[in-house]
Amino acid sequence: MKNSFIKDIAFYVPEKILTNDDLSTMMDTSDEWIKTRTGIHKRHSTGDSNMGPADLAVLASSKLLKKLNMDKSEIDFVVFATSTPDYYVPGSGALFQEKMGLENIGVLDIRQGCSGFTYGLSVADKFIKTETYKNILVIGSEVQTTQLDYDNDGRGTAVLFGDGAAACLLTSTNDDRGILSAHLHSDGRYIDDLSSSHPSSKYKDIITKENIKDRKHHIHMNGREVFKHAVRRFKEVILEGLDYNNLSVDDVDMVIPHQANYRISQTVQKQLDIDQDKVFSNIHNYGNTTAASIGIALSEALEQNKINKGDIVVLASFGAGFQWGSVVIKW
Ligand code: UT7
């Protein structure tokens, strides 16, 4: 059986920056509150550019292909993870394909919120291990800032999220390296603790004055509940992945957690009793970019030479659903 490994990864974030001070002019919040509670200093935003996740993904993927000196015709399949799709139907994968000029290859959309990247990698890994495809583009891309409630009612959520995209090339190899395992979970009992319920096909009238007044089209989060579950599930799913591979925390060279809150990453680091410099964080610069966050963090960890060949790298996610997962990689 073949192995699958991440040949390279690149990311793109829009130029416009939203600082905590910018947000403080829109709602009752402060730089100090945001930094202390989340670790976030700024986030990027598509602003008024009308760019969607497919556009950001094209920019990230073009960077990636340039780095790899690879022609787009060599890509066999695309897995596109986003929770903020350009269209309600079809998914952003088809739009990305058209914008990228990819000839009739298959595209698969993943709607797993903050766990989109781990779920996406897991699916792509199976396609490679079963020798269905050789080169798969796995993308996490989000435009959150156009949909947030930048008002006092939404301040608990709006300050967290940012826009960005990451694209990696998962490639087939005979070498003893690459994705060792993926463990995926969900618990739908907590859907309403982190969700955006409208538009919805359940109701005949979705765009009503009442729904807009009730801000149903914005994302809603029960922050404390999400935090509580996140710290538990991150630890659990990382240990599950390590255990499956007969590895211990001491074997781990780098953990790349979904960037949800610096305090969550710190808690997980302490719970695992692992060195602080082995849990990567860049949330201060980007906020929570949902499906893109692990890819952006992995990309920066590589740029900073924090990951070397042969290293054990663990990607871990938790988010809406709740859905969570881990991917253990021998780099
Ligand atoms: O990626 C998907 C997964 N998402 C997450 O993992 C997020 C998990 N949750 C969190 O990160 C944290 O719960 C938050 C950062 C969202 C909130 O932090 P917290 O320490 O749990 O604060 P809180 O919700 O308990 O609110 C504390 C206080 C409240 O005021 P009172 O009731 O104590 O008077 C809030 O109204 O802070 C207030 N507050 C704010 N104040 C200033 C909430 N949001 C803000 C804000 N600025 N933006």
Side-chain angles (χ1 to χ4, degrees):
M1 198 164 70
K2 298 278 183 189
N3 285 323
S4 79
F5 76 107
I6 294 177
K7 196 163 183 184
D8 213 340
I9 182 159
F11 73 100
Y12 173 81
V13 285
E15 275 170 32
K16 183 181 160 69
I17 288 174
L18 266 180
T19 63
N20 294 342
D21 285 334
D22 291 334
L23 295 180
S24 307
T25 65
M26 305 177 203
M27 62 189 99
D28 184 13
T29 190
S30 67
D31 180 49
E32 203 215 328
W33 191 96
I34 301 171
K35 277 186 187 155
T36 316
R37 303 277 178 145
T38 72
I40 299 167
H41 294 203
K42 57 189 168 81
R43 72 287 293 139
H44 290 250
S45 166
T46 54
D48 299 325
S49 68
N50 289 343
M51 286 172 97
D55 298 300
L56 303 191
V58 166
L59 292 162
S61 303
S62 303
K63 258 191 185 175
L64 174 67
L65 293 182
K66 203 168 169 199
K67 264 172 100 180
L68 287 164
N69 196 18
M70 181 179 173
D71 191 82
K72 61 189 175 189
S73 61
E74 291 175 63
I75 299 166
D76 302 315
F77 193 74
V78 175
V79 177
F80 197 112
T82 186
S83 59
T84 51
D86 300 71
Y87 286 18
Y88 191 49
V89 173
S92 295
L95 212 64
F96 168 78
Q97 180 183 42
E98 191 272 322
K99 286 174 185 282
M100 197 67 194
L102 298 173
E103 296 267 343
N104 304 350
I105 56 167
V107 293
L108 175 70
D109 282 77
I110 300 260
R111 292 282 299 278
Q112 253 63 31
C114 300
S115 285
F117 204 73
T118 48
Y119 270 72
L121 274 179
S122 170
V123 171
D125 174 54
K126 272 50 171 193
F127 275 131
I128 287 177
K129 288 201 166 122
T130 54
E131 299 192 36
T132 313
Y133 301 118
K134 276 187 182 163
N135 290 316
I136 303 181
L137 213 47
V138 180
I139 292 164
S141 184
E142 300 282 356
V143 175
Q144 291 279 10
T145 59
T146 51
Q147 344 206 341
L148 295 167
D149 187 2
Y150 290 113
D151 196 273
N152 281 345
D153 287 344
R155 66 179 183 167
T157 312
V159 300
L160 301 177
F161 293 97
D163 305 337
C168 77
L169 188 80
L170 201 69
T171 296
S172 168
T173 180
N174 291 319
D175 296 346
D176 171 29
R177 64 179 300 198
I179 294 183
L180 301 178
S181 65
H183 288 87
L184 310 174
H185 296 279
S186 65
D187 187 344
R189 285 177 299 169
Y190 299 98
I191 281 180
D192 291 333
D193 283 321
L194 177 49
S195 63
S196 173
S197 64
H198 283 59
S200 162
S201 58
K202 285 202 295 184
Y203 313 106
K204 198 149 188 284
D205 296 318
I206 49 170
I207 304 171
T208 61
K209 275 188 190 155
E210 286 72 33
N211 283 342
I212 291 171
K213 199 164 135 271
D214 292 346
R215 301 176 176 277
K216 291 212 168 141
H217 52 295
H218 293 303
I219 191 161
H220 291 274
M221 181 172 71
N222 177 354
R224 281 185 206 179
E225 195 65 13
V226 178
F227 194 105
K228 204 173 76 191
H229 286 266
V231 292
R232 174 173 152 220
R233 297 305 193 183
F234 268 119
K235 180 189 170 195
E236 225 175 66
V237 80
I238 290 169
L239 292 179
E240 183 182 16
L242 292 177
D243 197 42
Y244 177 85
N245 292 294
N246 292 320
L247 296 167
S248 75
V249 172
D250 291 342
D251 297 312
V252 176
D253 298 289
M254 184 58 75
V255 178
I256 311 274
H258 162 55
Q259 307 289 302
N261 183 324
Y262 185 56
R263 287 192 294 136
I264 293 179
S265 297
Q266 277 183 316
T267 309
V268 174
Q269 176 245 318
K270 285 186 189 120
Q271 284 179 340
L272 291 174
D273 194 18
I274 187 170
D275 290 351
Q276 205 171 351
D277 59 4
K278 289 189 176 177
V279 179
F280 191 80
S281 175
N282 62 0
I283 193 167
H284 49 284
N285 284 330
Y286 306 108
N288 178 345
T289 55
T290 321
S293 98
I294 291 179
I296 295 176
L298 179 60
S299 204
E300 287 207 325
L302 285 161
E303 275 169 17
Q304 294 165 22
N305 297 318
K306 292 198 167 162
I307 297 172
N308 298 301
K309 192 146 192 270
D311 279 0
I312 296 295
V313 178
V314 185
L315 315 182
S317 63
F318 180 88
F322 299 143
Q323 301 175 96
W324 61 101
S326 68
V327 177
V328 179
I329 303 170
K330 183 177 172 190
W331 206 262

